């Protein structure tokens, strides 16, 4: 404890002596002190406005991004959603890039110097951004080739969902249970993509085990149960064929058509109709057979 007190006292004495020496030096050389103060004031007048301007430019850039996004949305209001969202995102990123360049110039950092530094480290940056650049190129190709549009339900990149937006680097999907998924564009462009809504209609494929029931009459029964459904299309018409026959029974293919967007609903409704039709019509008497023939 005694040693610590001695050390503190020594440091205090040294600090006091340093302050006294500085005061003496300023008294002996007042011109030096005035010159130092003048330089300090000049530096403050030069640096502080630059910093304030730089902060102002970043704030203006943020406002400009909002304005550009709003203007682009209005200008591209009649453009299809897929291309519109892509162009809006591109315009906002370009506005941000311009703001960053202006920010650097205000601070005295020339854009050419930044480019020179990036060029010097081009190889390392290129390797680091290789995947990012590939996703950007994939985004451009997705917009050009149009394997899917906004609103389509797709399966690709290991996920499935409705396309919400095709961005510069990634595509956003929304699943049926309202979960937002972001998929890199490269995964969708280089992989297999299944677009279930592009054709407008879908066929509902069901396998029905009818056991040892009469085949022709059961086919007629199933078709008569499915055709009246309001979401089942008449063109193409529903079909029902034999899939396989074995000692355990017969398997039928029941294939009604519907609009792609109501596929899940129609699939569920048709299975319910099939179950009710088979339960309510055992096909064990002549009256059941005549009723089916009358409905057809």
């Amino acid at each position: 404890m005694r040693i610590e007190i001695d050390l503190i006292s020594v440091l205090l004495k040294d600090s006091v002596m340093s302050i006294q020496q500085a005061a003496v030096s300023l008294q002996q050389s007042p011109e030096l002190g005035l010159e130092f103060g003048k330089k300090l004031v000049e530096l403050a007048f030069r640096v502080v406005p630059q910093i304030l301007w730089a902060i102002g430019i970043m704030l203006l850039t943020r406002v400009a991004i909002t304005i550009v996004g709003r203007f682009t949305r209005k200008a591209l209001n009649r453009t299809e959603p897929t291309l519109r969202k892509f162009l809006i995102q591109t315009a906002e990123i370009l506005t941000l890039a311009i703001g960053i360049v202006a920010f650097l110039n205000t601070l005295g950092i020339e854009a050419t110097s930044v480019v020179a530094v990036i060029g010097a480290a081009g190889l390392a940056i290129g390797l680091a951004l290789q995947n990012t650049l590939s996703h950007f190129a994939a985004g451009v190709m997705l917009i050009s080739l149009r394997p899917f549009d906004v609103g389509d339900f797709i399966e690709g990149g290991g996920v499935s969902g409705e396309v919400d937006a095709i961005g510069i680097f990634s595509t956003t999907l929304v699943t049926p249970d309202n979960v937002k998924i972001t998929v890199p564009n490269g995964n969708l462009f280089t992989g297999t993509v299944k677009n279930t809504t592009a054709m407008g209609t879908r066929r509902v494929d069901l396998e029905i085990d009818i056991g040892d029931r009469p085949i022709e009459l059961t086919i007629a029964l199933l078709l008569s149960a499915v055709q009246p459904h309001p979401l089942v299309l008449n063109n193409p018409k529903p079909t029902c064929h034999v899939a396989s026959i074995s000692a355990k029974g017969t398997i039928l293919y029941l294939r009604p058509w519907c609009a792609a967007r109501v596929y899940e609903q129609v699939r569920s409704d048709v299975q319910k109709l099939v179950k009710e039709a088979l339960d309510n019509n055992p096909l064990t008497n002549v009256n059941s057979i005549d009723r089916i023939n009358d409905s057809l």
Side-chain angles (χ1 to χ4, degrees), residues 204 206-210 213 217-233 238 240 254-258 262-282 292:
V204 181
L206 298 175
E207 292 186 7
I208 312 297
D209 185 353
I210 65 171
R213 297 168 65 97
L217 291 176
T218 304
I219 289 176
L221 171 66
L222 296 180
L223 290 177
S224 66
V226 170
Q227 286 176 341
H229 193 286
L231 297 180
V232 172
L233 301 178
C240 189
L254 179 62
R255 293 171 172 172
W257 288 78
C258 66
V262 294
Y263 172 82
E264 294 295 338
Q265 179 183 350
V266 172
R267 183 180 179 86
S268 175
D269 292 348
V270 167
Q271 292 183 89
K272 180 181 177 182
L273 291 173
V274 168
K275 173 64 175 173
E276 293 175 348
L278 294 178
D279 289 345
N280 297 331
N281 295 276
I292 294 171

Side-chain angles (χ1 to χ4, degrees), residues 195-204 233 235-236 257-261 263:
N195 191 333
T196 61
T197 57
M199 304 304 295
T201 59
R202 287 189 69 181
R203 189 181 68 187
V204 181
L233 301 178
N235 186 23
W257 288 78
C258 66
R261 297 190 179 279
Y263 172 82

Side-chain angles (χ1 to χ4, degrees), residues 39-291:
K39 294 291 185 183
L40 187 61
V41 172
E42 291 178 355
L43 180 63
F45 274 103
R46 186 172 67 253
V47 172
V48 172
Q50 288 181 340
I51 295 175
L52 293 177
W53 271 112
I55 295 174
I57 286 175
M58 291 308 298
L59 294 176
L60 289 175
T61 300
R62 185 166 183 175
V63 175
I65 291 174
T66 303
I67 294 174
V68 168
R70 189 178 304 166
F71 175 79
T72 308
R73 287 185 182 88
K74 288 184 178 179
L76 302 175
N77 187 34
R78 296 184 179 180
T79 308
E80 55 183 331
T82 303
L83 185 60
R84 182 172 68 247
K85 291 187 177 182
F86 184 85
L87 293 177
I88 290 172
Q89 189 176 14
T90 302
E92 290 175 346
I93 291 178
L94 289 176
T95 305
L96 177 61
I98 294 172
I100 291 175
V101 172
F103 172 79
L104 294 175
N105 285 333
T106 303
L107 292 178
I109 303 175
E110 296 294 334
T112 54
S113 302
V114 177
V115 173
V117 173
I118 294 176
L123 180 60
I125 293 175
L127 293 175
L129 298 179
Q130 183 178 5
N131 291 334
T132 302
L133 295 176
S134 67
H135 294 320
F136 171 76
V140 174
M141 295 304 295
L142 289 175
I143 290 295
S144 302
L145 300 179
R146 311 299 289 278
F148 52 82
D149 293 323
V150 171
D152 288 350
F153 192 95
I154 66 170
E155 298 177 11
V159 297
S160 61
E162 182 178 330
V163 180
D164 180 65
I166 303 175
I168 295 179
F169 302 109
S170 62
T171 296
T172 304
L173 306 180
V174 178
T175 62
D177 55 342
N178 205 34
V179 176
K180 187 176 182 179
I181 302 177
T182 301
V183 186
N185 286 334
N187 294 9
L188 295 176
F189 181 69
T190 58
T192 301
V193 176
K194 181 180 178 181
N195 191 333
T196 61
T197 57
M199 304 304 295
T201 59
R202 287 189 69 181
R203 189 181 68 187
V204 181
D205 292 347
L206 298 175
E207 292 186 7
I208 312 297
D209 185 353
I210 65 171
D212 58 353
R213 297 168 65 97
I215 295 177
E216 290 296 332
L217 291 176
T218 304
I219 289 176
L221 171 66
L222 296 180
L223 290 177
S224 66
V226 170
Q227 286 176 341
H229 193 286
L231 297 180
V232 172
L233 301 178
N234 292 323
N235 186 23
K237 291 184 176 181
T239 59
C240 189
H241 305 286
V242 176
S244 64
I245 298 177
S246 65
K248 296 181 179 180
T250 304
I251 305 295
L252 299 181
Y253 279 145
L254 179 62
R255 293 171 172 172
W257 288 78
C258 66
R261 297 190 179 279
V262 294
Y263 172 82
E264 294 295 338
Q265 179 183 350
V266 172
R267 183 180 179 86
S268 175
D269 292 348
V270 167
Q271 292 183 89
K272 180 181 177 182
L273 291 173
V274 168
K275 173 64 175 173
E276 293 175 348
L278 294 178
D279 289 345
N280 297 331
N281 295 276
L283 296 180
T284 57
N285 54 61
V286 176
N287 291 333
S288 298
I289 297 174
D290 292 340
R291 187 166 63 254

